[in-house]
Amino acid sequence: MAIEHDFFGLLESGPDGSIFWSENVELADQSVTVDLTAPDQDDVSEAALDVAAALISSLEAIDRSARNAMVNELDDRTSEVTEYLLQQQQTLGDDLEGLLVDISGDTHIDIIRSLQLMSMTILADEHGGTEPFAVLEYALDPDSTDDVILVNLDSGGDVLSVTSAD
């Protein structure tokens, strides 16, 4: 079976009924891998694909919203964002400055600005549910993607949570 969509084209399902679509999308001066996946194509609606296409098309605004959510977490000293930033400072030490795109004097803000959006994974079967519909993966050093920040979005593009995955 297959699903056809204006944005994604023909989405063919695998032998197990799952669907997968992947594309590299340009955002500013970097390439972001965008994946759309669902374990069962029967759980993917036309509305879910429309929302996914809209999220991809507005990736710049989604990225800005995700970074703002990270900044909002800085007030909480126990947040995963704060812990991630402190861990990056400790791990990288003097090498941190070489990874920053701007040095304003506020190291935490500078790190958030310098994070690279590595990927966006859209979980098409989660449209309208309580689980994340899309997950943005950020890394300070693209060569060391073990230490990442994940921003979980609902199907409206709003931030549900920000977590670290180190």
Side-chain angles (χ1 to χ4, degrees):
M1 293 233 351
I3 301 173
E4 190 157 356
H5 189 266
D6 290 341
F7 184 88
F8 298 103
L10 188 63
L11 295 169
E12 294 192 41
S13 62
D16 61 353
S18 65
I19 60 170
F20 183 78
W21 175 91
S22 186
E23 191 78 32
N24 284 335
V25 176
E26 295 303 313
L27 176 67
D29 61 349
Q30 70 181 70
S31 181
V32 178
T33 302
V34 178
D35 296 327
L36 179 131
T37 184
D40 186 347
Q41 87 166 26
D42 293 337
D43 294 337
V44 178
S45 67
E46 184 79 20
L49 295 176
D50 291 344
V51 168
L55 288 178
I56 295 167
S57 297
S58 61
L59 191 56
E60 187 173 332
I62 296 291
D63 176 52
R64 191 171 32 258
S65 174
R67 290 175 195 272
N68 286 339
M70 287 183 229
V71 169
N72 291 339
E73 296 272 327
L74 294 178
D75 290 339
D76 180 358
R77 298 289 301 160
T78 62
S79 76
E80 290 194 45
V81 173
T82 302
E83 289 179 15
Y84 173 84
L85 297 175
L86 292 172
Q87 183 249 346
Q88 291 298 302
Q89 285 179 279
Q90 181 180 17
T91 302
L92 295 168
D94 293 338
D95 295 334
L96 176 64
E97 195 169 304
L99 295 171
L100 300 179
V101 295
D102 185 32
I103 299 175
S104 68
D106 186 336
T107 305
H108 288 172
I109 296 293
D110 295 343
I111 292 172
I112 291 172
R113 283 185 189 148
S114 301
L115 289 171
Q116 292 189 36
L117 177 55
M118 304 303 294
S119 68
M120 173 186 219
T121 302
I122 299 170
L123 309 164
D125 58 319
E126 295 295 342
H127 179 255
T130 57
E131 295 297 314
F133 180 72
V135 180
L136 305 175
E137 179 181 345
Y138 290 88
L140 184 57
D141 181 357
D143 296 328
S144 174
T145 55
D146 290 337
D147 298 324
V148 297
I149 287 277
L150 302 174
V151 178
N152 299 302
L153 306 174
D154 65 14
S155 51
D158 295 320
V159 175
L160 292 171
S161 63
V162 181
T163 61
S164 63
D166 43 64

